[in-house]
Amino acid sequence: MIKVTIYQNSEQKISGFDLQGHAGYAEAGSDIVCAAVSALAQNAVNSMEAFTEDGFTAEADAENGELYVRLEPGYSEKTALLLDSLILGLQGIEEEYMEYVDVIFKEV
C-alpha cells in the first residue's frame, strides 16, 4: 500500500508531504496505481521547481517507493494551488483504489 502523509498546521497550511511504499496493485512496471501516484507527485515537485521561486527540499528513493518533500514557510499561491491539485488527484485515486492508497493528514 502507498501511504501518503500530508503535513499541515492548525490553519491547514501544508508544510510537506511523504509518500511511502508500493501499491501492490500489479507487478512492477505494470502497476497503474503506483504509476498514477508517482506521476502526480513528481509533477507537483517539478512544477514547484519550474513555475515558482519557492524553496523546498525533496528526497526520493524510487526502489523503496519513497518521496519526502518539505516546504519553506511563506510559499506562494502558485505552490498552494499545485499542492491542492496534488491532494485532489491523490484523493481521487484513493477513492477508486482504497485498498492500495491511503492519504492522511497530520497536524504538525
Side-chain angles (χ1 to χ4, degrees), residues 1-2 21-28 31-34 99-101:
M1 172 176 276
I2 298 172
H22 293 285
Y25 179 78
E27 288 183 31
D31 194 323
I32 61 169
V33 177
C34 204
E99 57 272 9
Y100 303 101
V101 179

Side-chain angles (χ1 to χ4, degrees), residues 52-80:
T52 78
E53 301 288 324
D54 299 326
F56 67 92
T57 60
E59 295 180 29
D61 181 348
E63 186 174 316
N64 292 315
E66 298 174 348
L67 174 65
Y68 304 99
V69 177
R70 297 296 176 268
L71 299 140
E72 293 180 9
Y75 56 81
S76 68
E77 287 298 315
K78 286 182 182 180
T79 291

